[in-house]
Amino acid sequence: MASTSAEIIAFLLTISGWVLVSSTLPTDYWKVSTIDGTVITTATFWANLWKTCVTDSTGVSNCKDFPSMLALDGYIQACRGLMISAVCLGFFGAVFGLVGMKCTKVGGSDQTKAKIACLAGLIFILSGLCSMTSCSLYANRITSEFFDPSFVAQKYELGAALFIGWAGASLCIIGGSIFCFSIAENSNTPRRGYAYNGAASVLSSRTKVHNSVPDKTPPKHFDKNAYV
């Protein structure tokens, strides 16, 4: 029962993490920068993996898509590939997790379902690592440019999408680890032993039959009135 509850908790954690990771991919604010005037913010610059935009004080946004994938910086291409891999791995992990959980009716025996659940955990851990690596690589590029005194172009700060990606990756790794421990709990569960009581049952039945037959042996002692 405890193993089933742990698997349900792990599945909820991994699905929540996968949803956060999936929502990070199209989120706008991977990096953000603002230009402040005397009273109000005059312009906000922000970018993600697909485009770069600027929003003025009236709320009008002008965006420019990245022209070519081959002309992009290497870290953006790596982040795209890692995030897409994280989303795809999370989908397959969710499918294997549903099959491997004890509360479902598919997957075979308990040992087979435990192995499938462990595989789902490994897939979710790999998905979380991909997302964590992508967000960390993007954040490292932002911080290195921000603290570089020789960098004279527009400097950005960490956007909200990076924190969402880190949170989703952490949930996937934690839930996947719980899934992996389910196979260890299944192997440590003692098997029930059944004793063979066939000989004892036969002996007891023979004893009952013998006791049910009336004893016709004449008594050894007779009263004197029996000869009259």
Side-chain angles (χ1 to χ4, degrees):
M1 187 65 181
S3 178
T4 304
S5 302
E7 288 180 351
I8 294 175
I9 294 173
F11 184 76
L12 293 178
L13 289 175
T14 50
I15 290 298
S16 300
W18 177 59
V19 171
L20 290 177
V21 171
S22 301
S23 64
T24 303
L25 190 59
T27 302
D28 295 331
Y29 296 98
W30 278 65
K31 60 182 181 179
V32 61
S33 178
T34 58
I35 298 177
D36 297 330
T38 57
V39 179
I40 60 175
T41 300
T42 57
T44 301
F45 296 88
W46 50 273
N48 56 13
L49 298 178
W50 314 102
K51 59 186 177 181
T52 178
C53 302
V54 58
T55 304
D56 58 15
S57 59
T58 61
V60 178
S61 298
N62 295 317
C63 297
K64 178 183 179 181
D65 295 333
F66 293 135
S68 174
M69 185 181 68
L70 299 179
L72 289 176
D73 294 333
Y75 78 99
I76 296 181
Q77 296 182 10
C79 291
R80 281 184 179 182
L82 289 172
M83 291 302 297
I84 294 175
S85 300
V87 174
C88 295
L89 288 172
F91 173 78
F92 289 108
V95 173
F96 285 114
L98 282 175
V99 175
M101 294 175 65
K102 292 183 180 180
C103 58
T104 57
K105 301 297 183 181
V106 293
S109 62
D110 289 342
Q111 293 182 352
T112 304
K113 292 172 74 68
K115 294 179 181 179
I116 296 175
C118 182
L119 177 61
L122 293 176
I123 294 175
F124 273 118
I125 291 175
L126 185 59
S127 174
L129 290 177
C130 289
S131 177
M132 186 76 71
T133 304
S134 175
C135 295
S136 300
L137 180 62
Y138 200 91
N140 179 67
R141 182 60 179 262
I142 295 173
T143 54
S144 62
E145 291 178 353
F146 187 85
F147 293 106
D148 187 5
S150 61
F151 186 76
V152 295
Q154 182 71 31
K155 293 185 178 182
Y156 291 87
E157 296 182 359
L158 302 180
L162 297 177
F163 298 97
I164 297 175
W166 281 324
S170 300
L171 291 178
C172 287
I173 293 174
I174 294 172
S177 301
I178 298 175
F179 265 129
C180 290
F181 285 128
S182 64
I183 189 171
E185 293 179 0
N186 188 279
S187 61
N188 292 333
T189 302
R191 296 183 178 180
R192 295 182 178 178
Y194 297 93
Y196 178 70
N197 297 325
S201 60
V202 172
L203 181 61
S204 61
S205 62
R206 290 180 179 178
T207 305
K208 292 180 180 179
V209 172
H210 179 73
N211 293 334
S212 61
V213 177
D215 189 4
K216 298 182 179 180
T217 305
K220 296 181 180 180
H221 302 284
F222 298 95
D223 189 75
K224 61 182 179 179
N225 295 327
Y227 300 96
V228 178

